[in-house]
Amino acid sequence: MKSDAIKLGPENASHRLLYHALGWTDEEIHRPLVGIVSSYNEIVPGHMNIDKIVEAVKMGVAMAGGMPVVFPAIAVCDGIAMGHVGMKYSLVTRDLIADSTEAMAMAHGFDALVMVPNCDKNVPGLLMAAARLDLPSTFVSGGPMLAGHIDGHKTSLSSMFEAVGAYTAGKIDEERLHEWECKACPTCGSCSGMYTANSMNCLTEAIGMGLRGNGTIPAVYSRRLELAKHAGMAVMDMLEKGITARQIMTKDALMNAMTVDMALGCSTNTMLHLPAIAHECGVDLNLDIANQISERTPNLCHLAPAGPTYMEDLDEAGGVYVVMAELEKRGLLNTDCMTVTGHTVGENLAGVVNENPEVIRPVEHPFSETGGIAVLHGNLAPEGSVVKRSAVAPEMLVHEGPARVFECEEDAQTAINSGSINPGDVIVIRYEGPKGGPGMREMLTPTSAIQGMGLGGSVALITDGRFSGATRGACVGHISPEAASGGAIGIVEEGDVISIDIPANTIELKIPQEEFDARMAAFVPKTKQLTGYLRRYAKLVGSGATGAVLDEEKA
């Protein structure tokens, strides 16, 4: 065991002394040391129940003969951070989480790890750490919240943001708005649609790093506590068999994850996180690969915000394994990949049954023959841009209109709220990329306002920032290169015509080539005065097209 190097022999008596200072017995000291990375805190609804999950993991590890040791990881609530300077501090935590977990694990010589995340940057950050450390590792999340209920209809976070837009437009009154805020998110857990947190938790199953149900069993179900105990037992089995994270997180496993992503209709943020996780595994996973996979992968689910079903419905239908089983009917997965169960993907899928073909469409009857995400290229985004195709109204799949240009999210929001955005417009929000933001803020507030005001079928929005998984509509993000790096989004002028063709995977600024070239030659990106962590982050971060990973050579 790795920890033997710091536990055994007279030369390590001082280490054992400190273990005894913790109240450990000799028997506990000589067990394998299993780090449990707890993301518990009291500000994120998806994390308020993680203390109970951690206690269940500890029991599972102990029952299997290990010594469970808890240490923390931070997590930002994207919903609370949304729409103000706080969102600049969301994506940047992904790297802090990976770095701090690496530091704790290496400093204390853990033999194995159980990661207990739940929210948007927390899950990918810990997957990145698992890849770096290459220890036996399992994941068990805090689980999704149950959907809310208003007027007999299920609701969620995205419904709430759109209700704010409806209030701004005078469609509902303040009393009705208050009813929404009291009912839309009724339990603890990650918000109930196929938003980023749930997308990433589902993809831990697809990659092979989470047990069945990790992405879908609701936070308030006792089955999740059982799952947590089994996760603790599973990591001990991995330790005995010598199965480590990078033996599971192979290129084939990551390709499986991207395939499942397209079938589920996951958040566009997965197009940031999967390449970043792959980078830690030494695997190249770029946006061009995403389009290739999307072209051959049917979209089988329309969970909120794309449709009226929620994570609890996906769980009752059989969960991620059913989606994978449907995909396997067409041979779209590599079933030889190893998983944390100690069995291959193919072995795990044996006997899986689809309990609700309306929630998880059979592969013979998909929502569409192409995946939920599309990557667009063109003179506005030569390195690529990303849109959640499955959440775009049919009439907006092809759109051309005049640009309404804003230098930050707040300015765009002011224009939307004032009623100065017209049907047909293409809202352009720039200097919100990884470097220019910095931190690549999500744009759920403006996109939800557009929907709530009834403009979702006529207005598009493009940005070098990104979108929440709760966003729906013709919203194209991750435009790369970003404005702060000299990208063409920085030369767009008010009234320029922008063409978006999602089926053709194109996005174009429709001005003469001579004028385009002249503008680019004269373009000097704006800069911001930054301090603290954001200053360091802006200096190191790379393109959104490659996962917004940090360039270690610049450090």
Side-chain angles (χ1 to χ4, degrees):
M1 292 186 297
K2 183 177 179 180
S3 64
D4 286 348
I6 60 174
K7 292 192 305 188
L8 302 183
E11 67 276 15
N12 287 317
S14 58
H15 296 149
R16 295 194 296 274
L17 164 70
L18 295 172
Y19 293 146
H20 283 298
L22 291 167
W24 294 10
T25 65
D26 286 334
E27 293 81 1
E28 289 172 313
I29 291 170
H30 288 95
R31 288 183 170 194
L33 297 186
V34 180
I36 301 174
V37 188
S38 170
S39 305
Y40 170 76
N41 64 49
E42 295 182 340
I43 190 63
V44 185
H47 292 237
M48 63 181 287
N49 65 317
I50 279 180
D51 55 341
K52 296 177 177 62
I53 305 296
V54 166
E55 288 302 313
V57 172
K58 288 174 67 177
M59 186 172 289
V61 169
M63 285 192 295
M67 179 57 186
V69 186
V70 180
F71 65 89
I74 64 170
V76 164
C77 178
D78 278 24
I80 295 174
M82 196 72 66
H84 59 95
V85 69
M87 183 47 73
K88 294 178 184 287
Y89 286 88
S90 174
L91 179 61
V92 304
T93 64
R94 186 185 71 182
D95 297 275
L96 285 175
I97 291 162
D99 291 349
S100 59
T101 302
E102 174 192 1
M104 286 294 289
M106 293 301 295
H108 299 100
F110 288 111
D111 297 302
L113 296 170
V114 181
M115 310 294 196
V116 191
N118 210 29
C119 285
D120 295 25
K121 314 310 169 300
N122 189 235
V123 183
L126 290 178
L127 281 165
M128 290 164 68
R132 279 187 208 172
L133 292 160
D134 196 26
L135 295 170
S137 303
T138 60
F139 277 68
V140 56
S141 75
M145 70 170 62
L146 297 176
H149 291 266
I150 297 179
D151 297 336
H153 299 287
K154 291 184 177 181
T155 63
S156 62
L157 177 69
S158 57
S159 310
M160 183 68 235
F161 272 85
E162 291 180 17
V164 174
Y167 172 78
T168 303
K171 295 184 176 183
I172 62 173
D173 61 18
E174 191 169 353
E175 182 179 356
R176 181 66 164 166
L177 184 67
H178 185 257
E179 180 184 5
W180 277 86
E181 70 184 72
C182 291
K183 293 181 178 179
C185 291
T187 71
C188 63
S190 48
C191 295
S192 56
M194 188 52 78
Y195 311 145
T196 306
N198 291 327
S199 295
M200 291 307 305
N201 281 324
C202 286
L203 295 186
T204 62
E205 293 188 53
I207 294 171
M209 291 295 288
L211 297 175
R212 182 179 183 180
N214 182 54
T216 60
I217 297 173
V220 295
Y221 284 11
S222 295
R223 270 199 297 136
R224 183 152 290 276
L225 298 177
E226 295 178 29
L227 181 76
K229 292 171 187 175
H230 284 130
M233 294 183 227
V235 84
M236 293 301 297
D237 184 59
M238 292 174 69
L239 182 61
E240 182 179 342
K241 293 176 178 177
I243 300 172
T244 64
R246 282 208 295 268
Q247 291 174 27
I248 294 171
M249 299 167 73
T250 62
K251 182 173 184 177
D252 285 337
L254 291 162
M255 295 287 276
N256 280 350
M258 193 169 277
T259 302
V260 173
D261 183 326
M262 298 300 173
L264 282 170
C266 288
S267 162
T268 53
N269 282 313
T270 61
M271 294 298 103
L272 280 176
H273 301 321
L274 286 175
I277 294 160
H279 176 76
E280 297 291 348
C281 297
V283 173
D284 179 26
L285 202 67
N286 58 48
L287 293 185
D288 291 330
I289 293 173
N291 260 358
Q292 294 169 21
I293 293 175
S294 184
E295 284 303 311
R296 65 173 184 256
T297 305
N299 177 225
L300 305 181
C301 300
H302 264 191
L303 293 130
T309 53
Y310 293 81
M311 296 306 296
E312 62 207 63
D313 302 310
L314 179 61
D315 185 65
E316 290 172 10
V320 176
Y321 273 32
V322 170
V323 175
M324 296 175 73
E326 292 290 348
L327 294 172
E328 176 49 23
K329 290 179 183 177
R330 286 194 185 175
L332 293 172
L333 299 178
N334 186 316
T335 56
D336 293 329
C337 293
M338 180 53 61
T339 73
V340 294
T341 65
H343 301 288
T344 65
V345 168
E347 291 169 334
N348 289 344
L349 296 182
V352 169
V353 176
N354 188 341
E355 300 289 351
N356 191 336
E358 293 303 312
V359 174
I360 304 172
R361 289 278 185 90
V363 74
E364 301 85 3
H365 181 53
F367 284 100
S368 68
E369 287 293 342
T370 53
I373 289 175
V375 175
L376 314 184
H377 289 84
N379 65 358
L380 258 180
E383 292 179 2
S385 58
V386 180
V387 62
K388 189 168 184 175
R389 172 167 46 193
S390 60
V392 178
E395 64 270 23
M396 289 298 290
L397 288 170
V398 178
H399 181 76
E400 188 169 287
R404 302 296 307 278
V405 182
F406 304 96
E407 307 298 302
C408 65
E409 178 187 1
E410 289 85 353
D411 290 351
Q413 189 64 46
T414 298
I416 295 168
N417 291 345
S418 69
S420 63
I421 300 300
N422 302 309
D425 285 349
V426 178
I427 299 170
V428 179
I429 306 177
R430 59 193 180 197
Y431 293 102
E432 291 286 8
K435 184 182 298 292
M440 206 176 187
R441 285 195 288 181
E442 290 184 346
M443 303 289 164
L444 181 58
T445 303
T447 60
S448 296
I450 290 167
Q451 294 291 335
M453 297 173 80
L455 294 171
S458 60
V459 170
L461 189 154
I462 72 171
T463 180
D464 51 10
R466 60 194 177 92
F467 299 113
S468 165
T471 288
R472 64 188 177 102
C475 302
V476 184
H478 307 202
I479 289 192
S480 303
E482 60 177 294
S485 295
I489 191 173
I491 67 167
V492 179
E493 296 179 0
E494 188 81 6
D496 285 346
V497 174
I498 292 175
S499 173
I500 301 167
D501 190 332
I502 295 171
N505 299 320
T506 61
I507 181 166
E508 296 282 341
L509 175 60
K510 305 282 280 190
I511 61 174
Q513 187 63 46
E514 298 80 7
E515 184 176 352
F516 183 94
D517 293 342
R519 288 191 198 178
M520 287 297 291
F523 177 42
V524 178
K526 298 178 181 179
T527 58
K528 296 178 181 178
Q529 294 298 315
L530 302 170
T531 59
Y533 180 53
L534 291 184
R535 182 168 180 251
R536 297 197 301 275
Y537 184 86
K539 179 181 177 182
L540 298 176
V541 71
S543 170
T546 53
V549 299
L550 302 187
D551 186 344
E552 295 167 5
E553 294 183 2
K554 293 180 180 177

